[in-house]
Amino acid sequence: MESLQAGTDVLFILSGAVMVLAMHAGFAFLELGTVRAKNQVNALSKIMSDFAISTIAYFFIGYSLAYGVDFFTGAEALQEKNGYALVKFFFLLTFAAAIPAIVSGGIAERARFYPQLFASFLIVGLLYPLFEGMIWNGNLGVQAFIETTFGAPFHDFAGSVVVHAVGGWIALAAVLLLGPRTGRYRHDGGMTAHPPSSIPFLSLGAWTLTVGWFGFNVMSAQTVEAVSGLVAVNSLMAMVGGILAALVVGRNDPGFLHNGPLAGLVAVCAGSDLMHPLGALVTGGVAGALFVYAFTLTQNKWKIDDVLGVWPLHGLCGLWGGIAAGIFGLQALGGVGGVTLTAQLAGTSIGVLVAFAGGFAIYGLIKLAVGVRLTEEQEYLGADLSIHKITAQPDYNRGEV
């Protein structure tokens, strides 16, 4: 019976790992559809390369830093409990690798390839596990301090803050250090539009992420015994709330519409195991509207050239999700309880501070050492030709159709 339980848990969490792995295809196609045609190959290449680099960084450094566990023993020991420890690593790796995938969308179209891969290694090997270990493994006494001071530990079931806000605030630091794309903001105060290259690919990316997200949230239980249908339905309701809010506030813009479900899902991760479905619907709706408003504000007024809007989508909606868990998770609002708003504010604030400061440190040092930006000529040609020596449609570009 024990062996059957172990095998079932392995299959359960492995299914989650594969679903979240598929989300990385969603990241790739979301970026591919949003950037200009001359940067599509680069978008695909970055996401795949970042995942490989993230795996190496997390296997050799990051996972041990976060959880005090390594796999430098014989394979016979590693297959204990049907290899559950290994597939748990695989599952949490897919979360860690989401951080560079998030950052990639913000710095698209003007970042150098190998310096970005090195930044990804440092993020997944050092920066992300630092905060991950604080929240999900009790490292450095942070959770004990929050619980003692604010009456409950910081609650983040599936990573609104640990994954998404951290990724979004690292991305903001990188975007600010790189500066806007050449010609994006004119000297006369005007702005040059760079519309998405492919709404169908953007939509494919959004749908792939949305479907995979149910593995991201539901399988965060990590065992069959702990799985909850409440998490699944709360994810669904937040997704729908995000879609409808983005549709209305975004005035039918397909770019906003397809980011709406992602905004809702980012926000519900933290409290998806606590909220009533109506609370999840409101959480997702606020996130969808927040994304549209913040994306427009950053691009048009603040002139922050965050290409995919990853700071509004992951940074701000993740921040909102951490706070929302402390509101709609309360029993007074139909939630399960066991959280306090002040604890959620404290944990969220720590996550933002660690991510933003760490992002500035990593990208700032790389910028000083080797540079992180393509030359103006390379940017004009596009990252596809400048870095990969091929475009997404080489025959078409040569007139051979």
Side-chain angles (χ1 to χ4, degrees), residues 292-307:
V292 175
Y293 175 75
F295 181 88
T296 304
L297 188 64
T298 53
Q299 296 285 334
N300 298 348
K301 187 173 182 179
W302 294 344
K303 293 182 169 50
I304 297 174
D305 192 14
D306 178 352
V307 180

Side-chain angles (χ1 to χ4, degrees), residues 23 67 91-92 95-96 98-99 102 128 131-132 135-136 154-168 213 216-222 231 262 265-273 313-315 317-323 325 344 348 351:
M23 290 176 69
Y67 299 103
F91 181 66
L92 291 173
F95 282 52
I99 305 292
I102 291 167
Y128 169 73
F131 186 66
E132 177 191 19
I135 303 306
W136 285 344
F154 174 63
H155 187 88
D156 191 355
F157 179 69
S160 285
V161 177
V162 173
V163 178
H164 297 287
V166 165
W213 221 297
F216 195 99
N217 284 1
V218 176
M219 272 70 166
S220 284
Q222 299 189 18
V231 175
L262 311 183
L265 286 161
V266 164
V268 82
C269 287
S272 56
D273 62 328
L313 181 65
H314 297 274
C317 292
L319 184 154
W320 158 240
I323 296 170
Q344 294 305 113
T348 301

Side-chain angles (χ1 to χ4, degrees), residues 124-174:
V124 177
L126 299 174
L127 179 56
Y128 169 73
L130 174 65
F131 186 66
E132 177 191 19
M134 289 180 189
I135 303 306
W136 285 344
N137 198 47
N139 295 354
L140 304 179
V142 172
Q143 283 284 38
F145 170 77
I146 293 175
E147 183 173 8
T148 301
T149 307
F150 301 109
F154 174 63
H155 187 88
D156 191 355
F157 179 69
S160 285
V161 177
V162 173
V163 178
H164 297 287
V166 165
W169 285 86
I170 292 173
L172 177 61

